[in-house]
Short mmCIF file of all heavy atoms in Angstrom, two decimals:
data_model
loop_
_atom_site.label_atom_id
_atom_site.label_comp_id
_atom_site.label_asym_id
_atom_site.label_seq_id
_atom_site.Cartn_x
_atom_site.Cartn_y
_atom_site.Cartn_z
N LYS A 101 -12.80 7.82 14.27
CA LYS A 101 -12.87 6.32 14.21
C LYS A 101 -12.34 5.73 12.91
O LYS A 101 -12.06 4.50 12.96
CB LYS A 101 -14.32 5.87 14.49
CG LYS A 101 -15.31 6.28 13.34
CD LYS A 101 -16.72 5.75 13.69
CE LYS A 101 -17.67 6.07 12.57
NZ LYS A 101 -17.33 5.68 11.21
N ASP A 102 -12.25 6.53 11.94
CA ASP A 102 -11.68 6.06 10.65
C ASP A 102 -10.25 6.43 10.45
O ASP A 102 -9.66 6.15 9.41
CB ASP A 102 -12.55 6.60 9.53
CG ASP A 102 -13.92 6.05 9.57
OD1 ASP A 102 -14.15 4.91 9.74
OD2 ASP A 102 -14.88 6.87 9.40
N GLY A 103 -9.60 6.98 11.45
CA GLY A 103 -8.13 7.35 11.42
C GLY A 103 -7.89 8.68 10.74
O GLY A 103 -6.73 8.99 10.35
N ARG A 104 -8.88 9.52 10.53
CA ARG A 104 -8.73 10.88 10.01
C ARG A 104 -8.32 11.87 11.13
O ARG A 104 -8.87 11.78 12.18
CB ARG A 104 -9.93 11.29 9.20
CG ARG A 104 -10.24 10.50 7.99
CD ARG A 104 -11.40 11.00 7.29
NE ARG A 104 -12.59 10.83 8.17
CZ ARG A 104 -13.74 10.15 7.90
NH1 ARG A 104 -13.86 9.49 6.82
NH2 ARG A 104 -14.70 10.04 8.80
N PHE A 105 -7.38 12.72 10.77
CA PHE A 105 -7.00 13.73 11.69
C PHE A 105 -8.09 14.75 11.90
O PHE A 105 -8.66 15.21 10.94
CB PHE A 105 -5.72 14.40 11.10
CG PHE A 105 -5.12 15.53 11.96
CD1 PHE A 105 -4.43 15.19 13.14
CD2 PHE A 105 -5.18 16.86 11.61
CE1 PHE A 105 -3.91 16.14 13.89
CE2 PHE A 105 -4.63 17.77 12.40
CZ PHE A 105 -3.97 17.52 13.51
N ILE A 106 -8.32 15.22 13.15
CA ILE A 106 -9.30 16.26 13.46
C ILE A 106 -8.63 17.51 13.85
O ILE A 106 -8.08 17.64 15.01
CB ILE A 106 -10.23 15.73 14.64
CG1 ILE A 106 -10.88 14.43 14.22
CG2 ILE A 106 -11.32 16.74 14.91
CD1 ILE A 106 -11.66 13.72 15.30
N GLU A 107 -8.62 18.39 12.91
CA GLU A 107 -7.88 19.66 13.10
C GLU A 107 -8.36 20.55 14.37
O GLU A 107 -7.61 21.03 15.13
CB GLU A 107 -8.00 20.54 11.87
CG GLU A 107 -7.27 21.85 11.95
CD GLU A 107 -5.72 21.80 11.91
OE1 GLU A 107 -5.14 20.81 11.32
OE2 GLU A 107 -5.04 22.59 12.52
N SER A 108 -9.74 20.56 14.52
CA SER A 108 -10.27 21.31 15.64
C SER A 108 -9.86 20.73 16.95
O SER A 108 -9.56 21.46 17.99
CB SER A 108 -11.79 21.20 15.57
OG SER A 108 -12.32 19.97 15.59
N LYS A 109 -9.68 19.36 17.07
CA LYS A 109 -9.20 18.73 18.39
C LYS A 109 -7.72 19.18 18.57
O LYS A 109 -7.33 19.48 19.69
CB LYS A 109 -9.30 17.28 18.39
CG LYS A 109 -10.75 16.76 18.52
CD LYS A 109 -11.28 17.06 19.98
CE LYS A 109 -12.55 16.34 20.17
NZ LYS A 109 -12.98 16.55 21.54
N PHE A 110 -7.00 19.13 17.54
CA PHE A 110 -5.59 19.59 17.64
C PHE A 110 -5.44 20.99 18.17
O PHE A 110 -4.68 21.24 19.09
CB PHE A 110 -4.90 19.45 16.20
CG PHE A 110 -3.46 19.85 16.14
CD1 PHE A 110 -2.46 19.06 16.69
CD2 PHE A 110 -3.12 21.07 15.53
CE1 PHE A 110 -1.13 19.43 16.59
CE2 PHE A 110 -1.83 21.48 15.48
CZ PHE A 110 -0.84 20.64 16.07
N GLU A 111 -6.14 21.89 17.51
CA GLU A 111 -6.08 23.33 17.93
C GLU A 111 -6.54 23.45 19.36
O GLU A 111 -6.01 24.29 20.18
CB GLU A 111 -6.91 24.17 16.99
CG GLU A 111 -6.33 24.28 15.60
CD GLU A 111 -4.93 24.90 15.53
OE1 GLU A 111 -4.67 25.79 16.49
OE2 GLU A 111 -4.18 24.65 14.59
N GLU A 112 -7.55 22.71 19.77
CA GLU A 112 -8.13 22.77 21.11
C GLU A 112 -7.12 22.47 22.18
O GLU A 112 -7.10 23.02 23.23
CB GLU A 112 -9.34 21.79 21.15
CG GLU A 112 -10.15 21.91 22.43
CD GLU A 112 -11.32 20.90 22.29
OE1 GLU A 112 -12.22 21.09 21.53
OE2 GLU A 112 -11.29 19.93 23.10
N ILE A 113 -6.27 21.44 21.85
CA ILE A 113 -5.22 21.06 22.80
C ILE A 113 -4.33 22.25 23.23
O ILE A 113 -4.06 22.48 24.40
CB ILE A 113 -4.34 19.94 22.30
CG1 ILE A 113 -5.17 18.62 22.21
CG2 ILE A 113 -3.03 19.69 23.08
CD1 ILE A 113 -4.47 17.47 21.47
N PHE A 114 -3.94 23.05 22.21
CA PHE A 114 -3.10 24.18 22.43
C PHE A 114 -3.80 25.33 23.02
O PHE A 114 -3.32 26.04 23.84
CB PHE A 114 -2.31 24.44 21.21
CG PHE A 114 -1.29 23.43 20.86
CD1 PHE A 114 -1.62 22.34 20.17
CD2 PHE A 114 -0.03 23.44 21.42
CE1 PHE A 114 -0.70 21.31 20.01
CE2 PHE A 114 0.92 22.46 21.20
CZ PHE A 114 0.60 21.35 20.43
N THR A 115 -5.06 25.58 22.49
CA THR A 115 -5.83 26.68 23.07
C THR A 115 -6.15 26.51 24.47
O THR A 115 -6.09 27.53 25.20
CB THR A 115 -7.20 26.79 22.20
OG1 THR A 115 -6.90 27.00 20.82
CG2 THR A 115 -8.05 27.93 22.73
N ASN A 116 -6.42 25.31 24.86
CA ASN A 116 -6.85 25.10 26.33
C ASN A 116 -5.65 24.84 27.22
O ASN A 116 -5.84 24.93 28.46
CB ASN A 116 -7.78 23.91 26.32
CG ASN A 116 -9.05 24.14 25.70
OD1 ASN A 116 -9.47 25.26 25.42
ND2 ASN A 116 -9.88 23.11 25.38
N ASN A 117 -4.49 24.50 26.74
CA ASN A 117 -3.48 24.04 27.64
C ASN A 117 -2.10 24.75 27.47
O ASN A 117 -1.32 24.70 28.41
CB ASN A 117 -3.21 22.53 27.37
CG ASN A 117 -4.46 21.70 27.63
OD1 ASN A 117 -4.81 21.52 28.87
ND2 ASN A 117 -5.11 21.29 26.66
N ALA A 118 -1.85 25.36 26.34
CA ALA A 118 -0.56 26.06 26.11
C ALA A 118 -0.68 27.50 26.68
O ALA A 118 -0.95 28.39 25.90
CB ALA A 118 -0.21 26.12 24.64
N HIS A 119 -0.33 27.62 27.93
CA HIS A 119 -0.50 28.97 28.65
C HIS A 119 0.82 29.74 28.61
O HIS A 119 0.67 30.98 28.63
CB HIS A 119 -0.97 28.67 30.12
CG HIS A 119 -2.26 27.87 30.16
ND1 HIS A 119 -3.39 28.29 29.67
CD2 HIS A 119 -2.44 26.69 30.70
CE1 HIS A 119 -4.31 27.31 29.95
NE2 HIS A 119 -3.71 26.37 30.53
N THR A 120 1.93 29.05 28.61
CA THR A 120 3.24 29.75 28.59
C THR A 120 3.52 30.34 27.19
O THR A 120 3.91 31.45 27.05
CB THR A 120 4.34 28.84 29.01
OG1 THR A 120 3.96 28.18 30.28
CG2 THR A 120 5.71 29.59 29.18
N ARG A 121 3.44 29.46 26.23
CA ARG A 121 3.60 29.83 24.72
C ARG A 121 2.44 29.30 23.99
O ARG A 121 2.07 28.10 24.22
CB ARG A 121 4.90 29.26 24.25
CG ARG A 121 6.13 30.09 24.54
CD ARG A 121 7.34 29.51 23.89
NE ARG A 121 7.14 28.70 22.72
CZ ARG A 121 8.17 27.83 22.26
NH1 ARG A 121 9.26 27.78 22.80
NH2 ARG A 121 7.88 27.10 21.12
N PRO A 122 1.72 30.04 23.13
CA PRO A 122 0.56 29.49 22.43
C PRO A 122 0.92 28.39 21.45
O PRO A 122 0.01 27.61 21.00
CB PRO A 122 -0.02 30.70 21.81
CG PRO A 122 1.17 31.62 21.58
CD PRO A 122 1.99 31.42 22.74
N ASP A 123 2.08 28.19 21.08
CA ASP A 123 2.64 27.22 20.07
C ASP A 123 3.31 26.03 20.62
O ASP A 123 3.96 25.30 19.90
CB ASP A 123 3.36 27.93 18.97
CG ASP A 123 4.69 28.39 19.58
OD1 ASP A 123 4.78 28.65 20.77
OD2 ASP A 123 5.63 28.64 18.66
N ALA A 124 3.24 25.83 21.93
CA ALA A 124 4.02 24.72 22.52
C ALA A 124 3.46 24.38 23.93
O ALA A 124 2.79 25.25 24.55
CB ALA A 124 5.45 25.11 22.60
N LEU A 125 3.77 23.20 24.39
CA LEU A 125 3.40 22.78 25.72
C LEU A 125 4.57 22.50 26.58
O LEU A 125 5.52 21.97 26.10
CB LEU A 125 2.62 21.47 25.70
CG LEU A 125 1.21 21.50 24.86
CD1 LEU A 125 0.74 20.05 24.64
CD2 LEU A 125 0.18 22.22 25.63
N THR A 126 4.54 22.99 27.84
CA THR A 126 5.53 22.61 28.85
C THR A 126 5.20 21.21 29.39
O THR A 126 4.11 20.67 29.15
CB THR A 126 5.56 23.59 29.97
OG1 THR A 126 4.33 23.49 30.75
CG2 THR A 126 5.78 25.03 29.59
N SER A 127 6.07 20.59 30.08
CA SER A 127 5.81 19.32 30.83
C SER A 127 4.55 19.43 31.68
O SER A 127 3.68 18.58 31.69
CB SER A 127 7.06 18.92 31.56
OG SER A 127 6.75 17.66 32.17
N ASP A 128 4.48 20.51 32.47
CA ASP A 128 3.31 20.67 33.32
C ASP A 128 1.97 20.85 32.55
O ASP A 128 0.90 20.38 32.99
CB ASP A 128 3.53 21.88 34.29
CG ASP A 128 4.61 21.60 35.35
OD1 ASP A 128 4.90 20.34 35.57
OD2 ASP A 128 5.05 22.57 35.90
N GLU A 129 2.08 21.63 31.45
CA GLU A 129 0.83 21.88 30.66
C GLU A 129 0.40 20.51 30.01
O GLU A 129 -0.85 20.29 29.92
CB GLU A 129 1.14 22.91 29.56
CG GLU A 129 1.26 24.32 30.17
CD GLU A 129 1.89 25.30 29.24
OE1 GLU A 129 2.46 24.98 28.14
OE2 GLU A 129 1.77 26.55 29.60
N LEU A 130 1.37 19.75 29.60
CA LEU A 130 1.06 18.39 29.07
C LEU A 130 0.39 17.53 30.13
O LEU A 130 -0.64 16.88 29.77
CB LEU A 130 2.32 17.72 28.46
CG LEU A 130 2.17 16.26 27.96
CD1 LEU A 130 1.09 16.30 26.80
CD2 LEU A 130 3.44 15.75 27.43
N GLU A 131 0.88 17.56 31.28
CA GLU A 131 0.32 16.83 32.44
C GLU A 131 -1.07 17.27 32.64
O GLU A 131 -1.97 16.43 32.84
CB GLU A 131 1.05 17.05 33.75
CG GLU A 131 2.41 16.39 33.83
CD GLU A 131 2.26 14.90 34.04
OE1 GLU A 131 1.34 14.41 34.71
OE2 GLU A 131 3.23 14.22 33.63
N GLY A 132 -1.35 18.58 32.64
CA GLY A 132 -2.75 19.12 32.77
C GLY A 132 -3.71 18.67 31.63
O GLY A 132 -4.80 18.29 31.95
#
Side-chain angles (χ1 to χ4, degrees):
K101 66 178 180 55
D102 297 316
R104 293 179 299 238
F105 182 71
I106 303 173
E107 182 70 32
S108 61
K109 287 288 191 180
F110 177 76
E111 292 298 331
E112 188 178 292
I113 290 171
F114 290 88
T115 300
N116 294 343
N117 300 285
H119 306 296
T120 309
R121 277 183 24 199
D123 65 338
L125 297 169
T126 65
S127 179
D128 289 342
E129 291 166 347
L130 178 58
E131 287 284 335

